[in-house]
Amino acid sequence: MPDISILVDIADYYDISIPEIISGERKSEMMNEEERKIAKTMSDYATTEKEKIFKEMKLQSVMGVCALVLYWILHETGAYMYNDVLGKLAGYCETLVSVSVIMMAAFTTGSLSKVRSKSRKVFVFENFLKPMQLVVTAVVAFGGAAVIKLVLVYFFGL
């Protein structure tokens, strides 16, 4: 099955209707304007969702790379050993790298949207202000990364 965002273009190119593409059978009728409108709306929605996911992925990637570079600098210079604040910053950066990787995996697999929809039902998440939603999401992500880090250190000595 082709990507939904290109169904309209395929239908125009082959001069067939969207239902014909989906069913895999050629019908005698041409695609009417209403079908074209619905298909275009579906295509626009799919494109918008992809752009939203790509934007989130880009943000997570940039944050992860920045944290990784800062962590690397702190460790290579040894600055984290001589200053408690820099030691905590190194730990924060290390955790942020893990969180970024987890969040990118969650975005690409679509599991984050499933978790969000379930949490909205349970915690009435959409009633929170947007900044509060971001804080709650970050706290949950950091908690998950901390648990993963503890498991890796305790069981594998990493």
Side-chain angles (χ1 to χ4, degrees):
M1 185 67 156
D3 184 8
I4 194 167
S5 62
I6 62 172
L7 283 178
V8 175
D9 296 331
I10 292 172
D12 285 340
Y13 182 79
Y14 290 108
D15 197 28
I16 58 175
S17 69
I18 302 296
E20 288 176 327
I21 293 173
I22 293 172
S23 69
E25 296 177 355
R26 179 80 174 172
K27 298 177 182 173
S28 60
E29 61 191 64
M30 300 294 288
M31 180 173 23
N32 66 30
E33 199 56 39
E34 185 178 333
E35 287 175 341
R36 185 178 306 280
K37 229 184 216 183
I38 291 170
K40 179 74 172 136
T41 303
M42 289 171 39
S43 172
D44 291 344
Y45 178 76
T47 302
T48 303
E49 285 297 310
K50 284 180 188 175
E51 289 171 355
K52 183 178 172 183
I53 290 171
F54 182 73
K55 182 180 174 184
E56 293 288 337
M57 289 286 299
K58 192 166 44 171
L59 176 67
Q60 291 297 325
S61 299
V62 168
M63 284 179 20
V65 168
C66 290
L68 185 62
V69 167
L70 186 56
Y71 178 76
W72 179 77
I73 290 170
L74 290 171
H75 271 271
E76 287 299 312
T77 60
Y80 73 98
M81 291 187 277
Y82 304 113
N83 187 326
D84 191 41
V85 173
L86 292 179
K88 290 184 188 303
L89 181 61
Y92 173 78
C93 289
E94 184 180 13
T95 304
L96 185 58
V97 170
S98 302
V99 168
S100 294
V101 170
I102 291 168
M103 293 299 285
M104 285 188 290
F107 275 116
T108 56
T109 60
S111 58
L112 187 63
S113 60
K114 293 175 189 172
V115 169
R116 280 184 178 169
S117 67
K118 287 181 183 178
S119 69
R120 285 183 178 144
K121 292 175 187 171
V122 174
F123 300 113
V124 193
F125 197 66
E126 68 269 1
N127 291 341
F128 292 161
L129 297 173
K130 185 69 173 175
M132 191 59 150
Q133 289 178 0
L134 294 173
V135 168
V136 169
T137 303
V139 167
V140 170
F142 275 103
V147 168
I148 291 171
K149 184 177 176 183
L150 286 173
V151 167
L152 290 175
V153 168
Y154 184 74
F155 288 111
F156 302 107
L158 298 176

